[in-house]
Amino acid sequence: MGTIKRITGFIRNWVLIFAILAGIGSYFLFVSIPLFDPIHPQALATVEVVQPLLIFAMLFVTFCKVNPRHLKLCRWHWWLLAFQAGMFLGLGAITMAMPQCGARVVLEGAMICFICPVATASAVITRKLGGSAPHITTYTILSNLTAALLIPLVVPYVHPQQSMSVWNASVLILGKVFPLLLFPLFLAFLVRWLSPKVHFAITRMQNLAFYLWVVALFLATAVTTRYIMHTTVSLTVELSLVGVTLVSCAMQFFIGWKTGAVYGDRITAGQALGQKNTVLAIWLGYTFFTPITSVAGGFYSIFHNVVNSWQLYRHSHPRKR
């Protein structure tokens, strides 16, 4: 029994890494079996439908646990939102001024890293580190709203579609992003108000959002692997994407920590800016930008989990700081 418990605990602690490895392995297994060749397009189309549904469900379950009465605005919220929006807009302006080249792809990856909202699991990590769950939950809503508004306004100019006008592209993106990021919040509050029993049952499923995240990460990794294998960009561009993702992750944790420290909320602000909904980032990459930019979301998932693991270790071993 003790051995089984240890194995179960080990799997749970590393399940996100297993999901990433399983996603990579499943892609190569799928494409190596000739029997599956005729259904490759249908499989990709199915994943592209299922992925946003999983993101929606993840956000809905997470927002069901939000009590509107516990939401609290902080001054650092506005500073971090301004930083996220400013970096996204600034990088977008630079990208639009550049000719078509590999550097544009790298900048698009950085844009995704900065505009991507807070991870759905951020409140859990923040609470374990001694931060404020209400403060980061409030920022989660604000960052989702910011992303839902800015992405449709900026992306059609940064990554224009030859087959449609900027206005039509903006409306199309708005129709995909706005419902995905904000309807889960509205629906969660509606269920809380109209059907308390259903709302209570959802909140009792403690790990549902986590398991949805695991499945979504598995699919996102498989799709990202496909785009890496089929991309025409150079290895230099791919490695540059990994590098800019690392810099973006480090910068956002640092800015979050420094800004939060001014207001006595260092841990919460650091998680709010640094810990991202990377499944959403991957989806944004292959849906609205150059598909290879989804690599940024995949590696950001690795980098921010490394930072979280380091913080949790230091928090549980205060004498070794």
Side-chain angles (χ1 to χ4, degrees):
M1 181 65 71
T3 302
I4 295 176
K5 189 174 181 180
R6 284 195 298 271
I7 293 174
T8 303
F10 175 80
I11 293 174
R12 179 171 176 77
N13 290 336
W14 295 93
V15 68
L16 296 180
I17 300 299
F18 291 150
I20 292 173
L21 295 176
I24 297 171
S26 296
Y27 168 77
F28 287 112
L29 179 64
F30 183 72
V31 298
S32 66
I33 300 176
L35 181 65
F36 294 149
D37 289 349
I39 64 171
H40 285 181
Q42 292 84 350
L44 179 61
T46 301
V47 171
E48 289 176 348
V49 172
V50 171
Q51 190 75 340
L53 291 177
L54 285 171
I55 295 171
F56 185 99
M58 249 186 339
L59 290 172
F60 170 68
V61 173
T62 300
F63 288 142
C64 276
K65 299 178 182 180
V66 174
N67 189 334
R69 298 178 180 178
H70 295 165
L71 297 178
K72 296 181 180 179
L73 283 170
C74 304
R75 292 181 67 181
W76 61 259
H77 285 159
W78 308 116
W79 287 112
L80 297 194
L81 286 173
F83 175 77
Q84 276 191 268
M87 290 297 296
F88 181 69
L89 293 172
L91 289 170
I94 296 172
T95 305
M96 285 185 282
M98 296 183 67
Q100 292 293 336
C101 60
R104 284 182 68 105
V105 177
V106 177
L107 289 175
E108 286 179 8
M111 290 176 68
I112 294 171
C113 292
F114 283 106
I115 198 59
C116 187
V118 186
T120 55
S122 58
V124 176
I125 301 297
T126 301
R127 193 181 295 112
K128 288 183 177 181
L129 293 172
S132 171
H135 288 177
I136 198 168
T137 301
T138 305
Y139 191 81
T140 301
I141 296 172
L142 293 173
S143 64
N144 275 271
L145 177 61
T146 302
L149 292 174
L150 289 183
I151 290 172
L153 291 175
V154 176
V155 172
Y157 292 97
V158 173
H159 194 77
Q161 301 293 323
Q162 295 181 354
S163 59
M164 64 180 69
S165 66
V166 170
W167 169 254
N168 289 337
S170 294
V171 172
L172 178 65
I173 295 173
L174 181 67
K176 290 184 177 181
V177 173
F178 198 85
L180 182 65
L181 295 183
L182 296 183
F183 277 14
L185 175 65
F186 299 146
L187 183 59
F189 285 175
L190 192 63
V191 170
R192 173 186 286 271
W193 179 47
L194 295 179
S195 184
K197 290 184 179 180
V198 173
H199 179 266
F200 178 76
I202 294 172
T203 57
R204 293 288 293 175
M205 293 184 280
Q206 298 289 333
N207 297 317
L208 179 58
F210 177 77
Y211 292 128
L212 288 170
W213 185 22
V214 171
V215 175
L217 184 60
F218 164 78
L219 293 176
T221 305
V223 173
T224 300
T225 304
R226 177 187 181 276
Y227 285 123
I228 292 174
M229 298 305 297
H230 288 80
T231 186
T232 57
V233 304
S234 66
L235 179 61
T236 301
V237 172
E238 293 186 45
L239 293 176
S240 297
L241 266 173
V242 176
V244 80
T245 302
L246 176 60
V247 172
S248 300
C249 181
M251 180 186 297
Q252 290 185 94
F253 270 108
F254 180 78
I255 296 295
W257 289 330
K258 289 298 183 181
T259 304
V262 175
Y263 298 99
D265 209 0
R266 178 181 179 275
I267 292 297
T268 312
Q271 295 307 118
L273 194 59
Q275 189 174 353
K276 301 291 187 179
N277 186 343
T278 51
V279 171
L280 177 63
I282 293 171
W283 179 78
L284 289 173
Y286 69 69
T287 304
F288 302 123
F289 292 84
T290 308
I292 191 62
T293 55
S294 59
V295 169
F299 276 93
Y300 199 104
S301 177
I302 296 172
F303 296 145
H304 81 172
N305 278 305
V306 168
V307 175
N308 285 340
S309 298
W310 171 72
Q311 289 185 105
L312 289 169
Y313 176 80
R314 285 172 62 87
H315 185 72
S316 60
H317 298 79
R319 293 182 181 179
K320 296 185 179 184
R321 291 180 184 175

